[in-house]
Amino acid sequence: MSSTVLPDRAAVVAMLAAFGQRAAEQVPDTLGSLELTWLTAEFEQRYGIELELSDEQFAAVRTVDDAVAVLRAAVLATAPAAPGADADAAPDAAAVSGGVARS
């Protein structure tokens, strides 16, 4: 069993709430580019993961749920392989996650 903690919607909303020092209930479902840029930087700092999103991937994140999906994929892509897993059989994590590198 993995001990990897995946960001959920509540965690992402909490990070976004810190932007502008607002309550979680005040975070809109739709994200602007400034909020997404801030969220990306906050996420990278908290999780020690560098996101390398293409312009298309960045533009595709329009809602909190979109952000949750991208951030969860980033954590999963950097999680260590399970003991006994065949590393040669696993796809490239950065390719699967759309450009994520461990810092």
Side-chain angles (χ1 to χ4, degrees), residues 29-51:
D29 189 52
T30 304
L31 302 179
S33 61
L34 186 57
E35 286 177 309
L36 183 54
T37 300
W38 187 89
L39 177 63
T40 299
E42 180 70 13
F43 177 80
E44 288 177 337
Q45 182 177 1
R46 251 185 224 196
Y47 284 84
I49 296 171
E50 184 179 333
L51 298 174

Side-chain angles (χ1 to χ4, degrees), residues 59-85:
V61 178
R62 299 176 186 264
T63 67
V64 172
D65 289 337
D66 293 341
V68 170
V70 167
L71 299 178
R72 288 175 69 91
V75 172
L76 288 171
T78 60

